[in-house]
Amino acid sequence: MKKTILLALTIWCNFSFGQGNTHTQSAGKFEGLAMTPPMGWNSWNTFGTSIDEKLVKETADIMVSSGMAAAGYNYIVLDDGWMTRERDANGDLVPDPVKFPNGMKAVVDYVHSKGLKFGLYNCAGTQTCAGYPGTRGYEYQDARFYAKLEIDFLKYDWCNTKGITAPEAYTTMSNALKTAGRPIVFSLCEWGDNQPWEWGKPVGNLWRISGDIYPCFDCEFKHPENWSSWGFMKIAEMRKDIRKYSGPDHWNDFDMMEVGNEMNDTEDKSHFAIWSMLSSPLVAGNDFRKMSKETLAILTNKDLIAINQDKLGIQGFKYSAEDGLEVWVKPLSDGNWAVTFLNRSEVSKKINFDWKKHLIKDADFGYEANFSKTVYKLKDLWKNKEIGNTKKNFVAELGSHDVITLKLTPQL
Ligand code: GLA
């Protein structure tokens, strides 16, 4: 009898006091919510904390009317700045009543009524990066709040986290969401500081792998407070080698896109191509109300989206780089491949690519394209045009910062 009580006590102790410990927790994330990279829109890149109900509704309307939703974009995510500076007397988060005069539930319901999904942002620390109430110490309460609002996506940041460790903090929130019972995509945003790709798979559905993106091709923007934001090619370069950690339901997140913001259309095209090649979540960060038709065409290029959303879910890699001309490749389902030629230099380049001289091997996932053995048909995905096969050299002129993306299909 005594033994039984002792055993019961031991099990209870392990369960109760193991809550903060990654290795003894077993709740795990909601599985299967992001089998292909999530697609949507996030407010931060363009609007910062200047967000409100009108913006959400107009964005949702345009997401549907412009064809973005039909192309696959379905999450509308409000980033930092949606709350008041203090919790209420019960310790609950409070949506800012000036920005959201009808409350947040009305906003969520509106987005749902459009056939879209809705996401919010908070932070693992005591405060968010913009100084609003963080979730530390309120994990289960906040998770219940989100479940009651019926949100579908939570981005969870990493500011003001002194004294806590990332795997524990993110696991606690993941468990809180699971306990609250509503399937919510859990998006880890700790910038890659603690290698989330190594421990994030049971915890979340995607994780940021770098500091913030900046709307430029290849620059580093140094903030006065001693941190940097990065041009999209800097981020791609920084994390191109952790591809084996990314896959269905556990994506390396290269950050919200800057397509339609401060770069030109050529650079936007390259940005979109590289995010597609890397199987990054495709989260637009521009103002839909001012979107040019060129921006819309880039964001809704069906063939590029199909590369990004391919069911194998393999992050592409840089195959070669010579004199500023880079070749990025990505194995696709059914024996297909995507190949992107990128001119990273400041001058035009001539491409003369003799396929037969190349053997592309994906050492991480075991795929191979052997052009001496297999002939592939070629489609130019930006021109939407079949352009022959790999028997002949691929010859083209490529402007500075431009891309050509081809889909290769074995010719039977
Ligand atoms: C961090 C994140 C950004 C954004 C801001 C909000 O910098 O990395 O994506 O969420 O916080 O304050």
Side-chain angles (χ1 to χ4, degrees):
M1 181 69 182
K2 261 190 191 154
K3 250 192 187 166
T4 324
I5 293 170
L6 195 68
L7 185 69
L9 202 66
T10 316
I11 292 170
W12 180 79
C13 284
N14 281 343
F15 182 73
S16 307
F17 300 120
Q19 291 292 303
N21 182 331
T22 328
H23 305 291
T24 55
Q25 286 182 341
S26 59
K29 70 183 180 191
F30 280 101
E31 300 280 347
L33 298 183
M35 296 309 284
T36 58
M39 295 173 67
W41 175 88
N42 175 299
S43 52
W44 183 254
N45 285 356
T46 296
F47 299 98
T49 58
S50 303
I51 49 178
D52 58 23
E53 177 180 317
K54 188 165 172 279
L55 172 68
V56 177
K57 286 186 168 176
E58 288 177 353
T59 303
D61 290 349
I62 299 171
M63 197 138 169
V64 174
S65 65
S66 64
M68 296 274 302
Y73 295 85
N74 56 358
Y75 288 97
I76 300 259
V77 181
L78 275 184
D79 209 283
D80 210 348
W82 61 269
M83 300 171 243
T84 53
R85 294 276 171 194
E86 304 290 339
R87 290 172 181 269
D88 69 11
N90 300 321
D92 278 332
L93 296 166
V94 184
D96 185 321
V98 177
K99 295 173 177 172
F100 303 98
N102 299 301
M104 196 55 86
K105 185 73 173 95
V107 176
V108 180
D109 289 347
Y110 185 84
V111 171
H112 284 165
S113 77
K114 292 263 146 188
L116 303 171
K117 297 177 176 180
F118 186 78
L120 283 175
Y121 159 101
N122 208 319
C123 187
T126 49
Q127 287 194 328
T128 71
C129 298
Y132 294 89
T135 289
R136 186 174 181 189
Y138 292 87
E139 289 83 358
Y140 283 77
Q141 183 167 352
D142 287 357
R144 283 194 298 273
F145 179 82
Y146 301 136
K148 207 165 156 209
L149 277 177
E150 298 185 291
I151 72 166
D152 310 290
F153 187 105
L154 178 68
K155 173 176 169 182
Y156 202 55
D157 215 339
W158 188 238
C159 278
N160 305 302
T161 49
K162 201 161 177 243
I164 58 177
T165 65
E168 284 174 335
Y170 283 93
T171 302
T172 302
M173 193 61 202
S174 176
N175 288 346
L177 290 172
K178 192 74 178 287
T179 305
R182 179 171 173 88
I184 291 176
V185 170
F186 190 35
S187 163
L188 282 52
C189 177
E190 69 74 75
W191 320 315
D193 288 3
N194 298 278
Q195 297 76 44
W197 47 90
E198 284 174 2
W199 47 264
K201 193 174 169 189
V203 179
N205 310 87
L206 60 159
W207 46 77
R208 280 273 299 279
I209 43 75
S210 73
D212 292 359
I213 195 165
Y214 195 78
C216 65
F217 184 81
D218 213 355
C219 73
E220 175 181 354
F221 180 82
K222 293 190 179 167
H223 297 267
E225 305 88 5
N226 204 23
W227 61 288
S228 289
S229 297
W230 309 96
F232 75 87
M233 280 313 298
K234 280 268 186 303
I235 299 181
E237 192 68 56
M238 196 187 299
R239 299 300 188 209
K240 65 185 184 329
D241 299 326
I242 55 166
R243 55 191 295 271
K244 70 171 187 210
Y245 296 99
S246 192
D249 220 20
H250 54 276
W251 305 102
N252 286 333
D253 174 1
F254 286 73
D255 208 351
M256 289 98 62
M257 293 183 286
E258 293 284 9
V259 173
N261 290 340
E262 288 169 42
M263 289 181 284
N264 61 39
D265 291 336
T266 301
E267 293 174 329
D268 278 353
K269 223 174 105 191
S270 299
H271 180 11
F272 194 70
I274 292 295
W275 259 224
S276 298
M277 296 297 287
L278 292 171
S279 306
S280 175
L282 295 179
V283 181
N286 57 317
D287 185 347
F288 285 2
R289 300 164 310 178
K290 296 183 183 154
M291 178 157 52
S292 69
K293 62 179 194 317
E294 289 79 12
T295 297
L296 180 64
I298 293 169
L299 289 171
T300 56
N301 182 313
K302 287 198 168 52
D303 285 330
L304 265 294
I305 291 173
I307 300 298
N308 173 269
Q309 297 284 302
D310 183 79
K311 63 176 188 276
L312 271 188
I314 293 182
Q315 179 177 320
F317 61 99
K318 186 166 21 173
Y319 166 70
S320 66
E322 214 183 307
D323 195 24
L325 187 62
E326 301 191 347
V327 182
W328 293 70
V329 300
K330 174 174 169 33
L332 303 172
S333 48
D334 305 323
N336 301 327
W337 286 78
V339 175
T340 291
F341 296 90
L342 168 81
N343 183 353
R344 204 153 161 183
S345 81
E346 303 304 316
V347 292
S348 257
K349 296 273 168 194
K350 281 212 159 48
I351 303 172
N352 188 351
F353 196 79
D354 183 353
W355 301 96
K356 293 177 294 308
K357 290 197 176 131
H358 295 272
L359 172 65
I360 299 179
K361 274 181 186 275
D362 176 350
D364 289 317
F365 292 95
Y367 288 87
E368 184 179 292
N370 186 337
F371 301 105
S372 312
K373 276 204 212 138
T374 310
V375 175
Y376 292 82
K377 280 190 305 180
L378 301 175
K379 182 178 178 190
D380 183 325
L381 304 187
W382 288 107
K383 291 191 174 145
N384 191 19
K385 202 171 155 199
E386 306 287 341
I387 53 157
N389 62 33
T390 51
K391 278 188 197 163
K392 281 214 312 220
N393 288 15
F394 177 68
V395 179
E397 177 94 22
L398 190 57
S400 168
H401 294 182
D402 204 354
V403 275
I404 294 172
T405 303
L406 305 178
K407 182 174 174 190
L408 280 58
T409 308
Q411 192 168 294
L412 303 171

